[in-house]
Amino acid sequence: MIESFQRREKLIFDNHRGQTFEISVSSPFYLDKADGLGALENEFYNVKNYNEDGTNIKGSSVRERNIVIEGRIRLDKDINRQQMIRFFNPKHSFTLKYTNGDIVRYIDCKVEKTPVISRHIIPEFMISFLCPNPWWYTEEQKFEIAMWVPAFEFELEIDAEGDGIEMGYREPNNVVNVFNDSDTTSPLRIQFKAIGSVVEPYIEVVDTGRIVKIEATLQGGDIVTVNTKRGNEYAILERNGVEINYFNYLSYDSDIQLSVDVGDNLIRYDAAQFVSNLEVAIYFTPQFVGV
């Protein structure tokens, strides 16, 4: 439990309707305590054999996170009381943003218990939240593998030998190191972009051989985005401004929950034909134990 907050620490809720709600020591909704921002709880799967001391741990997983916030309404208690009750509607989903100077973390949550607000002269409140995914996360990061690099610049020089002007060149390396500087594995958002015809593009994790492959021929201008976040897996083709479900075009051996491990992850791209017409970008969101 955190019971002593600094002035620059803020808890800012977004209810996905464009509305925000701040709880902090500088807000009318004064922040006294917050439980559940830091520690995670591990859940073990044990097997106990007959006449054996202790148990055998066969596996473990991190439990969902509970966050309980306590504070006081300092100004306009009647108006702000209603504002708090209406904002933290249990039917809505929220993203909690924690800020402390340069440190910014996010977590998705639902209201577990709507605000309990006292009738005191300075009303006290308590709100309880459940975070099904217990990991805090930061802004999405982007790694480009196959891209064209611009080479046209001023002052313009034209080769007198008649070799022409280099407008750009193909990035020669088809492997990128996606470095995951976080506390756990992170899912990916993979974008295949065709600048011409491309047959069966894919990416592969070099160390493990796990792949995500599109078993189709892409046309120039096509963009296929594959998301491997658990509970939100999808493959979408964007063609001529229209989005098409492309999940059925993933190969049978594609890992739809492909993720990057903590540390270095060598990922390469390729295609069955016309790989020079392929651009690939990989996005992932770092995740952290606490704030």
Side-chain angles (χ1 to χ4, degrees):
M1 176 179 291
I2 300 176
E3 297 190 16
S4 179
F5 284 88
Q6 303 176 30
R7 188 171 185 83
R8 63 181 184 175
E9 289 183 277
K10 298 178 180 180
L11 302 178
I12 303 173
F13 291 86
D14 176 1
N15 67 0
H16 305 291
R17 300 176 66 187
Q19 299 171 318
T20 60
F21 194 100
E22 179 181 323
I23 302 176
S24 67
V25 298
S26 58
S27 164
F29 304 93
Y30 187 85
L31 179 59
D32 279 321
K33 301 177 184 178
D35 188 19
L37 301 184
L40 287 177
E41 184 178 349
N42 218 2
E43 183 175 11
F44 295 99
Y45 307 107
N46 303 328
V47 175
K48 183 175 179 62
N49 298 318
Y50 173 73
N51 204 30
E52 181 181 51
D53 295 333
T55 59
N56 295 310
I57 297 176
K58 297 300 183 181
S60 66
S61 62
V62 178
R63 293 180 60 88
E64 66 274 16
R65 183 189 295 269
N66 289 97
I67 295 177
V68 179
I69 297 172
E70 298 181 36
R72 290 165 281 164
I73 300 176
R74 298 190 297 183
L75 301 171
D76 300 325
K77 64 179 182 180
D78 292 331
I79 294 174
N80 285 332
R81 177 191 182 90
Q82 292 303 314
Q83 181 184 350
M84 173 173 275
I85 292 172
R86 294 192 66 185
F87 183 86
F88 291 107
N89 188 322
K91 294 293 186 180
H92 296 167
S93 296
F94 299 87
T95 295
L96 168 58
K97 177 182 179 181
Y98 169 88
T99 66
N100 184 3
D102 294 333
I103 298 174
V104 180
R105 298 282 190 271
Y106 301 88
I107 196 166
D108 298 323
C109 57
K110 297 277 288 186
V111 172
E112 186 175 40
K113 188 173 184 179
T114 57
V116 177
I117 306 174
S118 74
R119 296 288 183 177
H120 298 159
I121 296 176
I122 300 178
E124 300 169 346
F125 64 82
M126 182 185 73
I127 319 172
S128 178
F129 300 91
L130 178 68
C131 308
N133 182 350
W135 299 93
W136 292 89
Y137 60 88
T138 57
E139 296 287 352
E140 188 177 60
Q141 295 188 16
K142 179 181 181 181
F143 291 80
E144 295 175 340
I145 308 179
M147 300 296 292
W148 282 91
V149 180
F152 186 75
E153 61 182 21
F154 291 96
E155 298 176 353
L156 179 62
E157 295 182 4
I158 300 177
D159 191 345
E161 300 298 325
D163 292 335
I165 303 172
E166 184 180 44
M167 303 295 291
Y169 62 91
R170 179 77 174 182
E171 174 64 51
N173 189 14
N174 71 334
V175 177
V176 66
N177 181 24
V178 177
F179 185 71
N180 181 5
D181 184 20
S182 64
D183 298 334
T184 187
T185 58
S186 298
L188 303 176
R189 187 165 63 89
I190 308 149
Q191 188 177 83
F192 300 94
K193 182 177 181 180
I195 57 176
S197 181
V198 181
V199 179
E200 297 186 354
Y202 68 90
I203 67 162
E204 177 185 19
V205 179
V206 174
D207 291 339
T208 64
R210 294 180 298 167
I211 69 169
V212 169
K213 182 178 182 180
I214 309 299
E215 290 192 325
T217 298
L218 303 185
Q219 306 171 8
D222 284 355
I223 299 175
V224 175
T225 303
V226 180
N227 189 52
T228 68
K229 184 178 180 180
R230 185 185 65 186
N232 191 33
E233 300 92 338
Y234 62 78
I236 298 292
L237 167 68
E238 297 178 51
R239 176 176 288 170
N240 299 324
V242 178
E243 291 189 352
I244 303 169
N245 185 350
Y246 231 50
F247 203 89
N248 290 336
Y249 288 91
L250 293 174
S251 66
Y252 76 94
D253 55 347
S254 287
D255 186 352
I256 194 54
Q257 292 188 338
L258 185 66
S259 60
V260 286
D261 294 328
V262 175
D264 296 314
N265 298 265
L266 295 179
I267 297 179
R268 73 180 185 92
Y269 74 93
D270 208 340
Q273 296 182 56
F274 312 123
V275 67
S276 61
N277 290 333
L278 177 64
E279 294 183 352
V280 179
I282 294 175
Y283 303 80
F284 86 96
T285 302
Q287 301 183 105
F288 300 90
V289 169
V291 296

